[in-house]
Amino acid sequence: MNVNELFDIMWNSGLTGLMQETGIQGDALAQIEVIVLGTAAVTGILLCLLGLKIVRVWAALTGLASGFTAGVTAGTMLGLNEMGILIAGAVSGIILAVLGAVLYRVGVFLLVFISVSCFCIYVINPQDWILAAVCLAIGLLAGILAIWFTVILTILSTSISGAALAGSAVYYLLPMTGELILIALCAVFCIIGIFVQLLLESRKQKKKNLRKAAEIREERSTANEVEKARAMMENLNQISDEDDLTIIESTDDESEENE
């Protein structure tokens, strides 16, 4: 099976065509379809709603999947045996997963890059490697820009890609068909996802600002206490000097009287 045939099965025939091509038939096919579509729907909804909130988790999962795919592809091109291919995929996946989870900017880049690339592949429906490379280039550009515009691009990319995944999965689970229904489902999930993520980010920023304001008040309160203590010490020193001067003057007066 060449690349064009694989793309044709995946994008034109859908999940059913791909499974039938690989030999899965009958009731097993229906059960696997429901499980896969249900999992895809839940994953897409969570990505829509919590894309930025748990970005490190998504980055780790994305790094694991993309690293494993890249490692398997590289191992296949290098002519490794099956065990070598699996080892290469596992090592690459674990490395990218750790980098994505630990390094925030790397995680954001991976998540946005993969999300945008997958969405472009879904929309453009590439039939060869040239269009697939274009989709990857668009995702790469979005991932690079996300390093500087982290919040807005992460929210947009995860909401759109999650909506496409959830909307498509729910659509195939519904008894109704029609392109407008699919578009409406994706649009609804996308709008809800953007709204929820913006709301969560707004609350996060509000809490952050409140903590910062409390720290500033505490610093000012401490500074005021220090100033009060310093002023009190200066007053005590001034009073002490005045008392010493009074004692000296009294002593001088007494000496003059004795004379």
Side-chain angles (χ1 to χ4, degrees), residues 21 25 53 75 218 255:
E21 185 70 19
Q25 301 289 339
K53 182 71 173 179
E218 184 176 356
S255 298

Side-chain angles (χ1 to χ4, degrees), residues 143-214:
I144 294 173
L145 291 176
I147 296 176
W148 290 278
F149 307 101
T150 302
V151 174
I152 185 63
L153 284 181
T154 302
I155 290 176
L156 288 177
S157 62
T158 55
S159 296
I160 293 173
S161 58
L165 178 61
S168 300
V170 172
Y171 171 76
Y172 284 113
L173 289 172
L174 294 176
M176 302 175 293
T177 58
E179 186 176 354
L180 291 178
I181 296 177
L182 174 60
I183 295 174
L185 285 172
C186 294
V188 169
F189 281 125
C190 182
I191 293 172
I192 294 175
I194 292 175
F195 176 77
V196 171
Q197 289 201 61
L198 287 175
L199 181 63
L200 292 175
E201 180 62 18
S202 175
R203 290 182 177 178
K204 177 183 175 181
Q205 292 298 326
K206 183 177 179 181
K207 291 180 179 179
K208 184 177 180 181
N209 292 334
L210 289 175
R211 286 197 301 268
K212 187 175 181 180

Side-chain angles (χ1 to χ4, degrees), residues 193-239:
I194 292 175
F195 176 77
V196 171
Q197 289 201 61
L198 287 175
L199 181 63
L200 292 175
E201 180 62 18
S202 175
R203 290 182 177 178
K204 177 183 175 181
Q205 292 298 326
K206 183 177 179 181
K207 291 180 179 179
K208 184 177 180 181
N209 292 334
L210 289 175
R211 286 197 301 268
K212 187 175 181 180
E215 291 176 358
I216 293 174
R217 285 196 301 269
E218 184 176 356
E219 291 176 358
R220 290 180 177 177
S221 176
T222 303
N224 291 334
E225 293 296 330
V226 171
E227 288 296 328
K228 290 179 180 179
R230 184 181 301 170
M232 184 179 296
M233 291 299 297
E234 290 178 354
N235 291 333
L236 290 175
N237 291 332
Q238 184 177 358
I239 293 172

